[in-house]
Amino acid sequence: MSLAASEIRELFLRFFESRGHRRVASSSLVPAGDPTLLFTNAGMVQFKRTFLGQEVRDYKTATTSQKCMRVSGKHNDLENVGRTPRHLTFFEMLGNFSFGDYFKQEAIAWAWELVTGVYGLPREMLGVTVFREDDEAARIWSEEVGVPGDRIVRLDEADNFWSMGETGPCGPCSEIYFDMGPQPTSRPGFDPTDDSGRWLEIWNLVFMQYDRDGSGAMTPLPRPCVDTGAGLERMSAVLQGVSWIYDTDLFRPILTRAQELSGVAKGSDPEKDVSLNVVADHARALSFLISDGVLPSNEGRGYVLRRILRRAARHGVLLGVERPFLHGVADAVIDAMSPAFPELAERRAFITGRIRREEERFLETLTHGLGLLEDEIARLAERGERGLPGAVVFKLYDTFGFPVDLTEDILRGRGLTLDQAGFDAAMGEQRARARAAWKGSGDERTGAAYLALAGEHKTRFRGYDTLEARSNIAALLVGGESVAVANEGDDVEVIVDETPFYAESGGQVGDRGEIATPRGRVEVRDAQRPVGELVVHRGRVAQGSVRVEDLATLRVDADARAATVRNHSGTHLLHAALRSVLGPQAMQKGSLVAPDRLRFDFTHDAPVSGEEIERIEDLANQWIAANAPATVREMAYPDAIEAGAVAIFEEKYGDRVRVISFGGFSTELCGGTHARATGDIGLLKIIGESGIAAGVRRIEALTGHGALAHLRGQERTLESLSSLLRAPIGELTARVEKLLEEKRAAEQEVARLRAAQRGAASADLSSEAREVAGVKVISARVEGVSGKELRGMVDDLRGKLGSGVVLLAAVEDGRVSLALGVTPDLTDRFPAGQMITTVSGAVGGKGGGRPDFAQAGGSQPERLDDAFNRLEALLAAG
Ligand code: ATP
Ligand code: MG
């Protein structure tokens, strides 16, 4: 009997549930509040702070099936994907965790019971490893579980010692391997270091047992922990009797789709099999990443996503696919995986749309890059060289997303090579840049002072129920240093035991207000929670001084809070209305809730039309009018999701979550402060809609007094227009249209008059023609004519003269424009283009033109007479 992957997952979670573990949902692939980690890469990531003792949960043991990505850092399996039977970029890690509860004994016994008892794997097909010095684990395996001695192998640090970082919790591991059957190159017996592929690691048990300090010394942890990880896909391969992960039921429908779309059948060519596997793996990774809110971009996580997509598209090209097709494979991923991850189906159109667009872009750049590569190859041939410089390879890679192996393939086909060392150097530089860019984030928030304080203080938040509280001042920071007293004028951070101040989170800004003690008063402009449960009130000592241990009265600015509350509840209604009008792919990407405004960013592919905005606004205001009361419930995260609560990406949720609902229309996980009923919001008015990144839109809106003030402002503008235009507001449009019509008519009239004036001026001038050395000449300064119009006048006059020379000058803003025309019969003797140089030289200018017409500018209008004289001199000489 073979088990489906979904059963394998469920059996695992149930096994540990029945042993007292809390079933906790997978966290996002984007680690919450951990800028140092690119993607969640193991089940323990969401529990990191619990293991470190910085966060306490209301359970001591947990079990999860965690979405993982391994494409960076020391866990980078990207290059293995498709080529080894056991590596994926995206996979699910099944795990059980003990936070200072049970330890080695139970962890080992249960793992064995599940693997052999529940999953029914034969004992003789299994082998285990322990850390070289871990006699305890070796003893449990051998004496209590009964694993024969030749099936227990001791490995050293590199393989079987785990640590979170240089310092902190660490400890030995113990792994379980399955025998996939002898391979041509395999050695006899159980040998996990045999790399023939015979022994597959299916489960790793980590025993966090020590705390390592800066010097490398390890002291035993008072409450050791357990963290285990078993790959669902590997377990499925074993239980379904296949040797490759890709042959499990998790991949079958996805690979079927990839084969249909590419027209390439598996088994026809080993390299094509690799490409099909890569496409299947990457389509899963892309679907889950986009579903977790990562979008293609040029930095950080989005950049990794883009690279994965390009890699997949490149394998599509190797399969002979010429059109975008990954979105079709992603469709199959969504079908296959949404029973376990319903958010995929909900976001289907968005996920496939994003992939498709990015694929199209890539195919375009690919074509572009191919052109560039051809040029470079031609250049090599001209120079008689055979190696493509590393910098060019890098440019192709970096700018055009050209994988190096593709460049290499093409070059090889022409008998050329590439400069790998040069490429590596360019790549190294770029990595260093990327690392530098990645670091800076989040440092300030986890300053050492905060960490130290967070170890001692936990601030209780009372602000859901009250805006005023009395509490002792627990600590003060000035300039980041802990102090006993802060004096008037000091910028200070105040820490108390209990606070009514809401600390910024979930988009809602921190409260402002004041903290008063018998000796002084602090004006608080912001409240933040930099680590754990520590709230810091930031402000300035406005009066007197404040001391640690003083009893303080904390008062939140009630008006600002009320306005914030309206905006926050308004944001929830806006979010619900958006999803109702635009569809569930409109997912929150971020929000800002301040007293004076709200801003909501969400994923959506197209601008929101004016008509949609109106429907969204109408819906939200309908809900406001319904005056539905808020209900606030605390419940377990999975129950909240079950109840239809909308969870936000990149938000971190504890196991108990707070759920805010209004009527039947809005249910969200949210820790923020809210209105008692929707009617409190008063009015919601959208004042802006814009795109802030590819696939991300932003809506700005106002509520309550803010909305009213905004509408009043608009009204005032209309009123002043009305009085300026002397028309009632209702007639303003007609009035402005009429004015514009009149303006157009007036402009036409002006143009007509100017032409007439020019005509008249020309007529006057033509009567002023003189003769110089037998040549008819008109030369004059004309007024009220622009430089541009000069040319038309010169043409006119030339026509009137029949034979002769015309020089006109106009002065505008202290600059001279000259236009010189010569009739065709005289151009041989007096070429305008040459004469203009001499003439315009007189006014400090330069110019040029044809023999019959030339123009010039100049900067010395006072010397115009000289210019005219020069013309006469030229004619006289000619
Ligand atoms: P390997 O040496 O085979 O790459 P690992 O030592 O990196 O495995 P762990 O870090 O111990 O693996 O992860 C725990 C479990 O997660 C593994 O036992 C395995 O079942 C699974 N796993 C790890 N990496 C992958 C991957 N790239 N694809 C699929 N499953 C994986
Ligand atoms: Mg690995």
Side-chain angles (χ1 to χ4, degrees), residues 336-349:
M337 299 302 287
S338 44
F341 300 92
E343 68 271 22
L344 287 176
E346 192 171 289
R347 298 166 190 173
R348 182 189 297 268

Side-chain angles (χ1 to χ4, degrees), residues 584-602:
Q585 82 288 346
M587 294 174 286
Q588 177 162 358
K589 277 294 281 180
S591 71
L592 172 77
V593 178
D596 57 339
R597 69 212 159 107
L598 72 89
R599 193 169 79 197
F600 189 78
D601 300 341
F602 58 102

Side-chain angles (χ1 to χ4, degrees), residues 758-776:
R758 265 200 322 273
S762 304
D764 288 353
L765 288 171
S766 64
S767 64
E768 280 176 28
R770 287 161 296 129
E771 255 184 48
V772 176
V775 179
K776 276 192 263 176

